[in-house]
Amino acid sequence: MREMSTSSNLGFPKAQETTKVHHLLFRPSFPGEMRLSIRLAYLFLYNLLQFCGHTWIFANMTARFLTFGGDALADTFYAVGVVMSLCQLLSVLELFHIADGIEKARLLPRFVQVMTRNFLLFMVIVSQEEVQSKPVVCAQFYLWNILDLLRYPHVLLCLMGTDSFGMLWARYTLSIPIYIMSVITEGACVTVWHSLRARELRLEKWNKKIKRK
């Protein structure tokens, strides 16, 4: 939430700097400008890749839901799990972006967000086949994608110096209730995982007890 309050200090170019940014990205003439151009180009490509990945995930999930209805909920992970895993693994790079100064944002909130998502995805969902077919996974993926589809286009526009008030408002206003719902769903994922683990341990102990008798 603190990250949202720093929208004016993200370190991205403002509208009046569009010409300068375009020059640095496409017509660098000095070594320092060349280094800056490479960093900006890398950041632009990274955010574009993330945007394309999350757009594909969202479109795939929506198309499957409209085609198969509620039956698509159980197969969400099998349909988009690989791409989602790649996107979340790549998001770890954002921590290095902030630490290196390429992106000016608060490190702690981004660290918590990235680590929480990766923990839930790989330790709770990927490692537990019983969780993968639960509807809560589909809801969680949808919320993550909506948040990222609000964030990455805004970052891309800021990098190009063509950010708009509408995108800024959507990025820092619509994301608040979605983020709250995402946190609630993340808690539901952990609850499902804990319940399944407890069930597995109890049944295992019961089976051992029966075998001894």
Side-chain angles (χ1 to χ4, degrees):
M1 304 295 278
R2 289 185 177 180
E3 180 187 351
M4 296 179 181
S5 65
T6 60
S7 58
S8 61
N9 298 315
L10 286 175
F12 300 129
K14 298 180 181 179
Q16 61 266 29
E17 298 175 345
T18 305
T19 304
K20 179 180 178 182
V21 172
H22 185 276
H23 170 76
L24 290 174
L25 280 173
F26 302 106
R27 299 180 59 187
S29 56
F30 299 103
E33 290 185 353
M34 178 65 75
R35 288 193 296 269
L36 181 58
S37 173
I38 293 175
R39 291 159 73 93
L40 288 176
Y42 160 75
L43 197 60
F44 181 85
L45 290 175
Y46 166 80
N47 285 279
L48 180 61
L49 179 63
Q50 285 281 25
F51 172 68
C52 291
H54 286 288
T55 300
W56 182 88
I57 294 172
F58 187 83
N60 189 298
M61 292 173 60
T62 302
R64 287 175 54 80
F65 182 76
L66 294 177
T67 303
F68 303 108
D71 295 336
L73 299 179
D75 297 331
T76 296
F77 178 80
Y78 304 101
V80 301
V82 174
V83 180
M84 175 63 79
S85 299
L86 290 175
C87 289
Q88 295 306 320
L89 281 175
L90 283 176
S91 67
V92 177
L93 293 174
E94 297 176 14
L95 303 179
F96 296 95
H97 297 167
I98 299 174
D100 190 53
I102 300 177
E103 179 182 354
K104 293 184 180 179
R106 295 181 181 274
L107 180 60
L108 182 59
R110 188 71 59 84
F111 176 83
V112 172
Q113 176 184 346
V114 170
M115 291 297 104
T116 300
R117 287 189 180 187
N118 278 278
F119 173 80
L120 287 174
L121 180 59
F122 294 103
M123 300 301 295
V124 177
I125 300 176
V126 174
S127 63
Q128 298 291 325
E129 293 185 4
E130 298 88 349
V131 179
Q132 295 171 7
S133 59
K134 300 299 181 182
V136 69
V137 174
C138 181
Q140 187 66 76
F141 281 10
Y142 255 121
L143 293 172
W144 283 353
N145 271 274
I146 294 174
L147 287 172
D148 289 328
L149 289 175
L150 289 174
R151 181 161 69 97
Y152 289 115
H154 172 67
V155 174
L156 288 170
L157 291 176
C158 288
L159 286 171
M160 295 186 295
T162 58
D163 54 316
S164 63
F165 175 77
M167 182 60 69
L168 180 69
W169 184 88
R171 164 72 177 91
Y172 290 101
T173 304
L174 293 180
S175 59
I176 295 177
I178 298 173
Y179 182 78
I180 294 174
M181 289 188 291
S182 176
V183 171
I184 295 174
T185 309
E186 288 171 0
C189 283
V190 174
T191 301
V192 171
W193 172 71
H194 178 73
S195 299
L196 290 173
R197 288 292 297 170
R199 173 180 174 273
E200 181 181 352
L201 292 174
R202 290 292 183 179
L203 290 177
E204 184 179 352
K205 289 182 179 179
W206 179 263
N207 290 332
K208 290 182 178 179
K209 183 178 180 181
I210 295 298
K211 289 180 180 180
R212 289 175 182 175
K213 291 183 178 180

